[in-house]
Amino acid sequence: DKFKSKFPRYKKSHPNEVMAVVDNLDTYQGALRAGAKPMIVHFGFLHREPQGVVAIDQSGGEGSLKETRLYAYPDEGENTIHLITIGDKGTQSDDLEDCRKFVKEIRKGAE
């Protein structure tokens, strides 16, 4: 729900940053489809966060881009990448808290 509400607004105000993180997400998904393990993949745009969350940044995009993070949870058990939220350095603390809550709910539901 957090991703669905934030993404359209962020896309409208930062279209180039969103294009860059979506391109990087596509690269990450391609590696996973090829058999890479979610937490072993190494790309410069990929940052490991607590509880198995990954932050995909805007690296590689064109021009001078605002630091952006697309937070995702790669669930190996479901073979799914859950998109949690998107934000910048100013929202990073809140975004990571949202990630923590999201993963807690996902894991609770899996039990």
Side-chain angles (χ1 to χ4, degrees), residues 10-64:
Y10 204 88
K11 183 177 179 182
K12 188 174 182 176
S13 60
H14 304 289
N16 295 333
E17 288 80 354
V18 167
M19 188 181 325
V21 297
V22 169
D23 285 347
N24 290 342
L25 172 63
D26 187 50
T27 300
Y28 181 54
Q29 286 178 308
L32 297 179
R33 283 190 203 107
K37 296 293 181 191
M39 298 312 283
I40 297 177
V41 176
H42 296 286
F43 291 112
F45 60 77
L46 197 64
H47 309 272
R48 272 112 188 98
E49 301 293 349
Q51 297 182 303
V53 170
V54 294
I56 300 167
D57 74 23
Q58 80 295 337
S59 297
E62 292 187 28
S64 178

Side-chain angles (χ1 to χ4, degrees), residues 46-102:
L46 197 64
H47 309 272
R48 272 112 188 98
E49 301 293 349
Q51 297 182 303
V53 170
V54 294
I56 300 167
D57 74 23
Q58 80 295 337
S59 297
E62 292 187 28
S64 178
L65 302 178
K66 181 176 187 166
E67 267 191 67
T68 300
R69 299 286 188 273
L70 171 65
Y71 294 92
Y73 178 66
D75 189 335
E76 285 187 82
E78 291 184 20
N79 201 24
T80 302
I81 298 176
H82 299 276
L83 302 180
I84 304 169
T85 192
I86 189 168
D88 57 34
K89 285 301 226 182
T91 63
Q92 187 173 22
S93 180
D94 291 339
D95 293 339
L96 288 172
E97 180 61 20
D98 291 337
C99 290
R100 186 192 66 73
K101 290 175 185 175
F102 181 88

